[in-house]
Amino acid sequence: MTVSPLGRDIDRVDGRAKVTGTARYSADYPPSDPTSKVAYAHLVTSTVARGSISAMDTMAAQNAPGVIRVYSPFNKLGLRLVPDAGENYAPLEDTQVRFRGQIIAMVVAESSRQAREAAKLITTTYDELPPRTSFAGEPRVPAAGPPGHPPPSATVLAPGVASIEAALAASDVVVEATFHQPIQHAVAMEPHAVLAEWNSDHTQLTLYSGAQLPHITALGAAIRLGVPPTAVRAITPYVGGGFGSRVIPWYDAALAAAAARQLHRPVRLVLAREQVFTVVGHRSMVDQTIRLGASRAGVLHAVSHVSDASMPFVGYWPMRPAVDTSAVLYKTPNLHFDERHVMLDLPPACAMRGPNEAPGAFALETAMDELAVATGIDPVELRLRNYATVAPGTDLRWSSKHLDDCYRIGARRFGWSARRAEPRSRVDGQWLVGMGMATAIYPGRRISDPVQVRVRLLDDDTALVSSATADLGTGATTLLAITGAHELGVPLRRVRSELGDTALPQGAPAVGSMATASTVPAVEAAVHAVVAELTRLAVTDPRSPWHGADSEELTYEKGQLRGKGRSMSFGRLLTTIGRRNVEATATAQPGPEANQYKFHSFGAHFCEVRVNRYTGEPRVTRFTTVVDIGRVVNAQAARSQIAGGVIFGIGHALLEDDPLELDTGRLAAGNMADYMVPVNADIPALDVHCLDRPDPVINSLGARGVGELGTVGSAAAVGNAIYNATGKRIRSLPITLDKLL
Ligand code: MOS
């Protein structure tokens, strides 16, 4: 009997390759032609935030040992814009400086050290303008997203209610609070890197470059280079973290490819760690004001959520912190949100894990804790009293929602009943001990685009599942194998998988926590298709024992074709008919249900902190998260994703900050020495529990998204626990010890 791997604790199928160092990341690739010699590129970035380059002396660099070429606005590469992405400049194409850390030159040399050393010899003279950096001083503009995004401002009012102000004024209890979250960075472990390699007549380009959307990486480079999209192949089987920082095709790949085309050599470009902080997008800083109006019993009457997020003039991600938090999380008859941007001379912004939801939930879930204090109602009970079964202002129900059980089960696992509502009521030696909780919510939908998967059955009774999605460390490679084994009914060890290559059928983008839910139906469809093809061969091939039979007489189960009193494994049948393999590619796309329901994943976080009475040092000591993600595909990977998200949230709550220097436009902590992220000593053992209740709507398995959910609300749970420990409400992240003294 075959036991399906679905829902079990499955080790990564690529784990051995990763821990033994045989897995290749972008910078590890040698040229495909061993006789061709790689040239190494190094970037030079601007040291002012606004103005233009009046002169650049590249002579010393050009004459430095090993240097092949220096590219700059005075020796251009001819990159084009990607106007659909809202781009308004291409690097090295003009002398304008739009932010500090902008690419202004690229040195290509025989070795990476020579390129780096030569880059230091370039001197640049600027005509400097004062950068626009004042968050308070610049105007607010509506946070309009690309076409198809919901409006940035909306108001839902109950019949007879004149305005959100009137609704708040009519509430027994009003909580109003403003929250600040600084610029944050994904800080993926693998710095952004590329090896760009053309074929001899420059008709085909191969990019080895970490990507969340391999096809978009290829397409972005193709547009910038002025070649057809079919001319570019992106290869990215292993990615050292994405978190949103590998969604946009940044300029590194196109710059390396343009140089490789000119120099007739493969070019490798690896960003220096501090360059990752400006060449690659960050999460915008955001100020949010939440106003909650409620009855004395804590029942919400009005919710208002106004956000001002920084938006770089060079563009990209329009932060919208209310759309997937205040606009959907709680039942309220009156709702108002207004999402605005403040245009600044900053490096590009981008989506970062829970891009709207993490900052939105920090604000909303802290405000809910403040409402719990104001009404004297337990924070879990308060959330249950405002439980939404339809999103405010709509009659759309969720495909599946067990958030109430997340609260209850989480409270029990964590020991929430031991909490004392009164701050500073638990003291252990020099430590004040507190408990806090918060809600997690993240969209759990499938991508609306078609997703393709290919399944190949081989004559050795193994199968290969292929799809050009990406594995950012999330476990997508393992997921393909698990779902393939489950659908084929064969043991996991007989299924291999491959992804991260645009030569494969176009798979799900690894964004928006959508890859799993979007890929599962395509695996199912591809297995059906390949079994149909196998059956067709069985009845049409003269060498088959079923030759001439009606395909209706055959059934497939657990790797075996059966019918007319006999049974044969697919491998044996293929061997018998003299074929190495049979394959089929299938496409899956959501149906009408996509518009008939809302799809979210949910969770509840519970956190215990200890804050030192004398030093103010906050330590997270316990953390429990219970999530409703539909059916669990790989229990171990799902817990790991949630734990990773919680660690992210703890970092946001306590450590991460990149202050913007107002005079210079410099991000002051834009390097790994100054930008603090959690280390092992900052993180206790994390208790993560998945409800594992299949979603009856989203796909046949009932699996929704996981990846970003744990990030959402976890910072608020930490802050709420700190309030419970100390009585101090810190509304500005990170909550550092100086704020607690
Ligand atoms: Mo994610 S921030 O949708 O890459």
Side-chain angles (χ1 to χ4, degrees):
M1 198 191 101
T2 307
V3 178
S4 167
L6 196 78
R8 303 162 76 90
D9 281 348
I10 303 296
D11 287 340
R12 301 295 167 95
V13 294
D14 49 358
R16 180 175 291 270
K18 285 184 171 177
V19 298
T20 57
T22 58
R24 275 194 182 134
Y25 291 79
S26 305
D28 300 334
Y29 280 90
S32 54
D33 172 2
T35 63
S36 73
K37 222 168 148 293
V38 172
Y40 295 80
H42 188 82
L43 299 177
V44 179
T45 56
S46 65
T47 55
V48 305
R50 188 183 177 201
S52 62
I53 299 167
S54 53
M56 186 179 274
D57 185 351
T58 58
M59 190 69 82
Q62 186 65 64
N63 292 331
V67 169
I68 302 164
R69 197 72 59 87
V70 178
Y71 296 101
S72 74
F74 308 99
N75 181 25
K76 299 179 190 187
L77 274 162
L79 290 193
R80 304 179 190 197
L81 289 174
V82 187
D84 286 353
E87 278 183 5
N88 48 27
Y89 85 108
L92 311 189
E93 292 307 304
D94 64 41
T95 55
Q96 199 186 328
V97 175
R98 295 152 177 93
F99 59 91
R100 196 181 190 283
Q102 176 187 315
I103 300 165
I104 55 166
M106 182 170 78
V107 179
V108 185
E110 296 293 343
S111 78
S112 103
R113 172 161 306 200
Q114 287 169 332
R116 214 163 57 227
E117 290 302 319
K120 292 181 195 160
L121 303 175
I122 295 176
T123 55
T124 306
T125 316
Y126 300 94
D127 282 330
E128 220 179 323
L129 289 169
R132 291 156 288 187
T133 53
S134 166
F135 206 66
E138 298 295 328
R140 273 60 181 145
V141 297
H149 274 218
S153 180
T155 307
V156 174
L157 296 173
V161 175
S163 67
I164 196 72
E165 303 303 326
L168 287 162
S171 303
D172 297 337
V173 182
V174 175
V175 162
E176 170 169 354
T178 296
F179 302 90
H180 173 73
Q181 180 173 305
I183 282 173
Q184 296 170 337
H185 300 272
V187 204
M189 196 186 292
E190 181 195 8
H192 293 57
V194 60
L195 175 71
E197 185 179 62
W198 293 88
N199 64 350
S200 56
D201 60 357
H202 290 179
T203 51
Q204 284 293 323
L205 168 67
T206 305
L207 295 171
Y208 301 89
S209 183
Q212 295 183 234
L213 304 87
H215 285 86
I216 294 295
T217 290
L219 179 64
I223 295 171
R224 290 183 172 136
L225 295 161
V227 300
T230 50
V232 185
R233 176 180 179 189
I235 295 182
T236 173
Y238 295 101
V239 183
F243 315 119
S245 76
R246 288 181 159 98
V247 172
I248 307 277
W250 303 110
Y251 296 104
D252 53 340
L255 285 168
R261 186 164 57 181
Q262 280 203 7
L263 301 173
H264 297 269
R265 286 173 69 166
V267 171
R268 178 179 295 150
L269 170 58
V270 180
L271 296 194
R273 182 49 86 171
E274 62 272 22
Q275 291 173 345
V276 177
F277 284 78
T278 63
V279 171
V280 168
H282 61 268
R283 193 204 299 269
S284 295
M285 69 178 124
V286 58
D287 283 352
Q288 301 176 76
T289 297
I290 304 269
R291 290 181 296 166
L292 304 176
S295 71
R296 263 180 256 290
V299 176
L300 286 169
H301 180 62
V303 174
S304 167
H305 188 157
V306 176
S307 66
D308 293 328
S310 57
M311 183 68 171
F313 282 101
V314 292
Y316 287 123
W317 177 258
M319 188 193 273
R320 307 278 314 274
V323 283
D324 272 300
T325 57
S326 296
V328 287
L329 188 44
Y330 297 113
K331 185 167 139 188
T332 178
N334 301 290
L335 167 74
H336 169 73
F337 64 84
D338 189 12
E339 299 171 313
R340 308 180 300 197
H341 286 156
V342 183
M343 306 296 293
L344 299 178
D345 293 308
L346 279 170
C350 71
M352 182 171 141
R353 203 177 199 177
N356 300 317
E357 300 77 7
F362 166 64
L364 176 63
E365 288 297 282
T366 308
M368 283 295 281
D369 202 64
E370 300 192 36
L371 182 62
V373 172
T375 54
I377 297 166
D378 177 85
V380 174
E381 172 61 22
L382 180 72
R383 285 161 174 84
L384 289 169
R385 286 187 193 179
N386 293 290
Y387 198 75
T389 51
V390 297
T394 78
D395 52 10
L396 282 184
R397 302 189 79 81
W398 275 279
S399 58
S400 177
K401 178 176 180 179
H402 302 289
L403 175 58
D404 47 354
D405 284 337
C406 294
Y407 291 133
R408 292 187 190 110
I409 293 168
R412 198 158 61 233
R413 287 176 79 93
F414 180 77
W416 181 252
S417 59
R419 175 181 181 266
R420 296 181 208 154
E422 183 66 27
R424 298 181 75 91
S425 54
R426 271 186 67 198
V427 181
D428 179 10
Q430 55 183 315
W431 298 93
L432 303 170
V433 185
M435 296 183 187
M437 59 83 54
T439 310
I441 181 168
Y442 191 82
R445 61 182 179 269
R446 291 164 59 183
I447 183 114
S448 53
D449 301 330
V451 167
Q452 289 189 323
V453 169
R454 182 175 70 210
V455 174
R456 179 182 296 163
L457 305 179
L458 290 94
D459 62 359
D460 62 357
D461 270 320
T462 66
L464 175 64
V465 183
S466 314
S467 186
T469 181
D471 188 334
L472 317 177
T474 51
T477 310
T478 310
L479 173 118
L480 282 179
I482 291 172
T483 48
H486 175 77
E487 297 292 345
L488 285 165
V490 301
L492 182 60
R493 66 186 140 74
R494 283 170 48 193
V495 181
R496 288 180 304 120
S497 57
E498 57 181 357
L499 49 61
D501 181 346
T502 52
L504 301 173
Q506 183 160 347
V511 292
S513 304
M514 291 186 288
T516 294
S518 307
T519 301
V520 156
V523 174
E524 183 189 21
V527 166
H528 283 165
V530 80
V531 166
E533 186 56 20
L534 182 76
T535 308
R536 194 190 63 78
L537 289 174
V539 299
T540 56
D541 192 295
R543 289 162 291 187
S544 159
W546 289 292
H547 179 238
D550 187 340
S551 56
E552 300 296 308
E553 295 172 276
L554 297 191
T555 55
Y556 172 91
E557 200 189 351
K558 295 182 178 171
Q560 304 273 325
L561 266 190
R562 289 176 218 281
K564 309 193 101 176
R566 63 191 309 160
S567 127
M568 201 180 245
S569 75
F570 62 75
R572 259 207 58 220
L573 175 62
L574 289 169
T575 308
T576 305
I577 65 174
R579 284 186 64 122
R580 295 293 312 279
N581 60 62
V582 56
E583 68 178 38
T585 301
T587 302
Q589 201 168 3
E593 79 285 352
N595 300 316
Q596 293 160 354
Y597 295 89
K598 287 200 85 71
F599 296 89
H600 280 90
S601 286
F602 302 94
H605 297 293
F606 295 85
C607 173
E608 181 192 80
V609 295
R610 294 173 160 247
V611 179
N612 191 288
R613 291 164 70 188
Y614 305 110
T615 67
E617 178 189 4
R619 307 294 307 172
V620 174
T621 44
R622 289 196 303 125
F623 212 109
T624 290
T625 300
V626 176
V627 294
D628 168 23
I629 55 173
R631 170 83 75 99
V632 173
V633 177
N634 180 350
Q636 181 169 275
R639 288 197 311 273
S640 157
Q641 281 293 291
I642 295 300
V646 168
I647 294 167
F648 240 68
I650 293 172
H652 294 169
L654 301 180
L655 297 167
E656 295 186 42
D657 190 5
D658 197 358
L660 175 63
E661 285 183 352
L662 297 182
D663 295 352
T664 63
R666 184 176 82 106
L667 290 172
N671 60 75
M672 284 289 278
D674 295 313
Y675 190 79
M676 306 287 282
V677 294
V679 297
N680 281 345
D682 296 312
I683 306 297
L686 303 173
D687 170 38
V688 177
H689 177 71
C690 306
L691 292 188
D692 201 5
R693 296 193 198 152
D695 185 312
V697 179
I698 191 159
N699 52 38
S700 59
L701 291 187
R704 287 196 308 267
V706 188
E708 293 164 77
L709 180 67
T711 318
V712 183
S714 36
V718 175
N720 295 342
I722 287 174
Y723 173 81
N724 182 244
T726 64
K728 291 200 168 98
R729 183 69 72 183
I730 310 301
R731 301 185 184 88
S732 176
L733 294 182
I735 306 172
T736 43
L737 69 180
D738 51 302
K739 296 174 186 170
L740 291 169
L741 273 178

